[in-house]
Amino acid sequence: GESVGLHLPTLSVQEGDNSIINCAYSNSASDYFIWYKQESGKGPQFIIDIRSNMDKRQGQRVTVLLNKTVKHLSLQIAATQPGDSAVYFCAASPRGSNYKLTFGKGTLLTVNP
Amino acid sequence: EPEVTQTPSHQVTQMGQEVILRCVPISNHLYFYWYRQILGQKVEFLVSFYNNEISEKSEIFDDQFSVERPDGSNFTLKIRSTKLEDSAMYFCAGTLQGISPLHFGNGTRLTVT
């Protein structure tokens, strides 16, 4: 089965800095990857996703990089703001499973003013 | 922006009792899911539901669990005889189809005493 893990449970950055959150997955059959943000008392909020036929995808202030060779995924947040403080989860889904996501444990991002 | 709505936000029940957790998905979504998150642990897949039947389920989703979409609007998760270890946040999620990301509700916190 799939195993998804985040490299660091916590990350603290200064406002305005760029943040990088890393994630590793184990199943080479995974073909869909997604990052969620979770604020206290709320459900996971979609940030950005990427399929295995791509290695980079950009959104507003966020970039996801996928390295299938080493089974590594990262989320880059540009110009981090205090409102970005939350727990960030990566998740992966195997081909054909239709969103049977395996989540990592989460990285708590704290943005210091 | 349309939201996935879950009720109640917090449910307390005694061990052995039945509970029903309710979700109102986004109206044009076709695929529905339940995930759960035990305190301090990963978000875990329970079940996916499409076209009024279960598409996939995890090992957690045993005979004590059931789902239904009785009226084309609500999507419910029933636990027939709750156990202490069922205490968790339960998240409902939905998607329009396989190309759009999962949208989660804010969850129901289930506490079994």
Side-chain angles (χ1 to χ4, degrees):
Chain A
E2 175 67 274
S3 169
V4 177
L6 285 164
H7 291 186
L8 285 176
T10 61
L11 177 65
S12 183
V13 301
Q14 291 298 122
E15 182 178 357
D17 286 353
N18 296 333
S19 303
I20 300 176
I21 302 172
N22 295 301
C23 184
Y25 63 96
S26 64
N27 189 352
S28 55
S30 292
D31 81 332
Y32 177 76
F33 306 88
I34 189 166
W35 283 96
Y36 283 97
K37 169 186 179 182
Q38 188 176 28
E39 297 172 79
S40 181
K42 295 188 176 181
Q45 177 187 350
F46 168 73
I47 301 173
I48 193 167
D49 59 358
I50 189 169
R51 293 204 174 267
S52 59
N53 60 350
M54 301 174 70
D55 53 21
K56 180 178 181 179
R57 194 170 184 212
Q58 289 183 288
Q60 188 178 12
R61 284 201 303 119
V62 294
T63 300
V64 56
L65 298 177
L66 175 62
N67 185 330
K68 294 180 288 293
T69 303
V70 294
K71 300 191 188 68
H72 183 269
L73 188 69
S74 69
L75 175 70
Q76 301 178 2
I77 305 173
T80 317
Q81 302 167 0
D84 295 327
S85 294
V87 178
Y88 288 79
F89 296 96
C90 64
S93 177
R95 196 170 294 114
S97 87
N98 203 31
Y99 295 120
K100 184 182 177 183
L101 294 171
T102 298
F103 278 78
K105 208 167 181 180
T107 290
L108 173 62
L109 175 65
T110 303
V111 182
N112 302 307
Chain B
E1 186 175 324
E3 291 184 343
V4 177
T5 305
Q6 290 187 243
T7 56
S9 57
H10 190 190
Q11 174 90 47
V12 181
T13 189
Q14 288 190 325
M15 192 168 53
Q17 296 296 303
E18 174 184 287
V19 294
I20 298 176
L21 310 182
R22 301 180 192 279
C23 171
V24 179
I26 295 172
S27 60
N28 64 348
H29 282 180
L30 300 175
Y31 297 81
F32 310 103
Y33 305 77
W34 285 99
Y35 281 77
R36 79 171 186 189
Q37 185 179 28
I38 294 172
L39 186 64
Q41 298 189 23
K42 299 179 182 184
V43 177
E44 301 173 289
F45 169 81
L46 293 179
V47 65
S48 60
F49 189 85
Y50 170 70
N51 201 26
N52 282 321
E53 59 183 33
I54 290 173
S55 306
E56 286 187 271
K57 58 183 181 180
S58 70
E59 293 174 354
I60 303 166
F61 195 88
D62 61 22
D63 292 345
Q64 293 301 310
F65 291 86
S66 62
V67 289
E68 63 175 3
R69 195 160 183 249
D71 56 9
S73 174
N74 294 287
F75 179 50
T76 62
L77 174 68
K78 181 193 292 186
I79 310 175
R80 288 189 185 80
S81 178
T82 50
K83 303 187 284 287
L84 294 176
E85 54 265 37
D86 293 327
S87 295
M89 283 290 290
Y90 287 81
F91 294 107
C92 172
T95 182
L96 176 56
Q97 57 182 341
I99 61 171
S100 64
L102 274 186
H103 290 271
F104 283 82
N106 283 330
T108 293
R109 179 173 299 283
L110 176 65
T111 302
V112 182
T113 61

